[in-house]
Amino acid sequence: MDISKIRDLFPLVSFESVITLFKKQLEDKDKDPDLSLLSICLGFIENVLCKENTNRSNTFPILDYETVDTLYKKFKSIVAIAETSFQQSSEKKSKKKDDNKEPKVATREKIKKISDVIWNSLLRSSYKDRAHLQSVYSYLTGNKLDSFGVALVTVAACQILNYKDVHLALSEDHVWIVFGITGDETMEITWHGKGAEDKRGHSVIPGIEAQTWLYLAGHPIICTRYTELAAMVLSLNPQLNQTSVCAEIADLQQQLLWILYDAGHLSTYPMGIGTLGELEESHPTEDRPSCEQLYEEAIQSAITHYSNHHVYPYSYKGSYYYRRENFRDAFRCWADASDVIRLYNYSRDDEEIYKEFLDIANEQIPQIMKTESSGHSAKSILRDPYCFGNLLKFYDGICQWEEGSHTPILHIGWAKQLCYTISKFDYDIRSQVKIIIKSDYDDDNNNKKNEICSTNDEQKHEAKDENMKCEESMKSPKIEEKVFSPASRETLASPQSMASSQLASPSTASVDDNRSEVLKSEEDQSNDTNNNGKSEHYDDFEINTPKKPIIALKSRKMKGLKDLLLAEKLNTNAISLQITAQSHIGKKSRSSIGIEDNGADAARPKRSRRE
């Protein structure tokens, strides 16, 4: 690629000039965004402001064309080594030299050769958890890359060589490559955790690994060049140290994400929308969607495009409500997040999402209990059976996540906090929650995975009809909430429909006639639910929600706790023993999930948790 055509855009003397460069790249319909060029520019600005600028002056680091051109040519020369090496080892290429002008289709051997050149030039240390090492700039100037950076630089190198079929695949904590004429071939290109580098070059196997959250069970984000650019922007790290951030980098990231959002390039990127929501929560932009609307949009993106297999969109929104002290809605979002994680088998590679749930269960929920029990109020969530129901749903999902996994999840620390939390709900509140234990859930435990992936026309038609019914129920003074089949997780897009089912998953839309109602109001109530996330939500709670929720528990551990949970006097020792018991359960079959070789997941830099 020739970057001399954009020479008039340099030097970059302000953040506005960087934004202009990005806009020019996005507006050029004849060419894809140049990942190498933009990664060099962003990496330079981030490293200077966050690492080299020890005096923390607000002066923009001027970037001239000569610097960019020198680094760009250096990268091209490194990439050329890989291409030349492969051509020399190939008899077919020995007599004919590629001119890199016509689009080519990559092979596994070619991509492996490119990644080997990059991999072998890195310093022999693991920089996975180090900041500011995810760009082409950090590679060229320091021979250092984190796990996401290795994948990004490899794809950027393939773009230079005109392999237009090579793209990133992103999960919520990992990244790999898809390639080929149909884009259905997969390849591990970077590490995850410890000692996984030996997987480089291998296909993502649609087996046990693909059943874990790390690989999203065949529902990763398959990137275009524009989504890869969004992932690059998302990987910007404004952190200066453990207690402070670079406001200029955060603001640049926010503005670039809005540009991508306006162009429609975040519509299939739930984590991109969620990150933009967090940035808007800290520094709202005038005449833009609110952070709460963005969090909801991220959820709808995950439902629409990924069969509701992404956890973080719910985690984003739950954390938002927690920070706003809207604990009722926080409980609901956490329960919905748990409803997603139950779709997977736990593995040690799922460390990041495990820590997310552990933090909710052992830090945030106990803190809520401490806050709410400090004073007696009829409007406290401790007097709300729906919050108790969502608490059970939260733990039910985690217990089902553990079922069939090789590694146990729930140790004594989980059990201790569960007992503490349950004990805060009086018997008269706990007894209002009706727990359904139905054998059909045991028989259909595997079938639900198949239902989630089913997207035939008949289901879509039923989902639309049911969605209309849900909207009508919002207007009716009588609330009637039903359990929705998991197959409908793909089709629900109406926040109003979600609001009509307080404990049911917000991703449900069509009624499964073979199952009983799981949530049903026993009293006629108005359903004018306030969804603005503010504390005023509490004032109307008494008249806006049903009194006696019904919940169906699906995990074997929580089913066994039914009588103990509703007993007048809690037997915390028995509850603890049941929760921490070893799961002697056959592995959950996910052969019908529809996992294919292209379903590997893709990673991204770790999401920092906001306090």
Side-chain angles (χ1 to χ4, degrees), residues 239-427:
Q239 188 174 11
L240 293 170
N241 50 52
Q242 293 183 349
T243 59
S244 60
V245 299
C246 176
E248 295 86 0
I249 293 296
D251 183 63
L252 176 63
Q253 183 182 45
Q254 187 173 358
Q255 292 187 60
L256 293 178
L257 285 176
W258 274 125
I259 293 173
L260 292 163
Y261 178 92
D262 292 338
H265 301 312
L266 295 185
S267 60
T268 59
Y269 197 174
M271 290 195 70
I273 302 172
T275 299
L276 181 57
E278 285 195 328
L279 292 167
E280 283 295 307
E281 184 180 347
S282 298
H283 297 89
T285 305
E286 188 176 357
D287 298 327
R288 287 290 192 178
S290 68
C291 59
E292 186 176 10
Q293 290 174 313
L294 291 170
Y295 293 141
E296 180 58 34
E297 188 175 341
I299 292 173
Q300 294 306 318
S301 176
I303 294 169
T304 303
H305 301 288
Y306 308 106
S307 299
N308 202 38
H309 274 65
H310 292 208
V311 178
Y312 277 136
Y314 296 105
S315 179
Y316 279 123
K317 198 171 186 182
S319 297
Y320 163 72
Y321 285 133
Y322 175 76
R323 292 188 291 269
R324 294 289 296 269
E325 298 187 357
N326 184 345
F327 299 138
R328 284 189 175 88
D329 283 337
F331 266 72
R332 174 175 53 81
C333 291
W334 291 335
D336 292 335
S338 183
D339 235 12
V340 176
I341 203 64
R342 73 168 75 241
L343 301 174
Y344 303 107
N345 280 336
Y346 172 73
S347 83
R348 293 190 183 276
D349 285 333
D350 297 339
E351 178 185 4
E352 282 302 310
I353 200 64
Y354 172 84
K355 290 189 293 186
E356 186 85 14
F357 280 108
L358 184 66
D359 186 58
I360 293 171
N362 291 6
E363 298 293 337
Q364 294 177 329
I365 291 179
Q367 181 60 37
I368 291 174
M369 295 298 103
K370 181 179 179 181
T371 301
E372 291 291 293
S373 60
S374 60
H376 183 74
S377 171
K379 296 178 181 179
S380 168
I381 65 169
L382 300 181
R383 304 299 302 169
D384 175 13
Y386 264 77
C387 281
F388 182 68
N390 275 321
L391 176 68
L392 300 185
K393 183 180 174 183
F394 173 77
Y395 278 96
D396 186 51
I398 294 174
C399 288
Q400 199 167 9
W401 184 27
E402 182 184 56
E403 289 180 9
S405 303
H406 297 295
T407 306
I409 296 176
L410 300 164
H411 51 69
I412 189 61
W414 288 84
K416 180 179 178 181
Q417 295 300 338
L418 172 60
C419 293
Y420 167 78
T421 303
I422 291 176
S423 67
K424 294 297 182 179
F425 291 88
D426 293 337
Y427 169 71

Side-chain angles (χ1 to χ4, degrees), residues 105-107 111 165-166 178-185:
V105 177
T107 63
I111 300 175
D165 60 310
V166 180
V178 295
F179 64 98
I181 296 176
T182 58
D184 58 356
E185 295 190 67

Side-chain angles (χ1 to χ4, degrees), residues 127-129 133-134 145-152 173-175 189-193 603-606:
Y127 294 94
K128 180 172 180 291
D129 295 321
L133 298 179
Q134 78 287 358
L145 287 171
D146 61 14
S147 57
F148 174 79
V150 171
L152 177 65
D173 190 40
H174 188 42
V175 61
I189 205 68
T190 188
W191 74 90
H192 183 275
R604 65 175 294 281
K606 296 296 178 291

Side-chain angles (χ1 to χ4, degrees), residues 35-36 39 75 78-79 111-130 132-140 143-159 166-170 174-177 187-192 196-197 199-201 228 232 235 603-605:
L35 299 180
S36 303
S39 185
F75 187 49
I78 294 173
V79 172
I111 300 175
K112 181 64 164 58
K113 181 66 68 173
I114 295 169
S115 69
D116 283 345
V117 170
I118 295 170
W119 182 272
N120 293 331
S121 60
L122 296 176
L123 295 181
R124 294 301 179 189
S125 299
S126 174
Y127 294 94
K128 180 172 180 291
D129 295 321
R130 294 275 298 275
H132 319 301
L133 298 179
Q134 78 287 358
S135 65
V136 175
Y137 176 84
S138 61
Y139 169 65
L140 295 174
N143 294 103
K144 299 177 182 179
L145 287 171
D146 61 14
S147 57
F148 174 79
V150 171
L152 177 65
V153 171
T154 301
V155 170
C158 289
Q159 184 187 30
V166 180
H167 291 284
L168 293 179
L170 303 171
H174 188 42
V175 61
W176 64 99
I177 279 177
M187 180 175 171
E188 293 278 12
I189 205 68
T190 188
W191 74 90
H192 183 275
E197 57 269 14
K199 294 182 181 180
R200 289 189 316 111
E228 287 158 357
M232 182 196 304
S235 70
R604 65 175 294 281

Side-chain angles (χ1 to χ4, degrees), residues 463-491:
K464 291 180 180 178
D465 292 343
E466 186 57 34
N467 199 31
M468 294 176 64
K469 293 178 183 179
C470 289
E471 291 179 354
E472 288 298 321
S473 68
M474 290 291 292
K475 303 175 183 178
S476 172
K478 182 174 181 177
I479 300 175
E480 185 172 309
E481 301 182 33
K482 299 183 178 181
V483 62
F484 297 122
S485 70
S488 62
R489 291 181 184 273
E490 299 181 1
T491 56

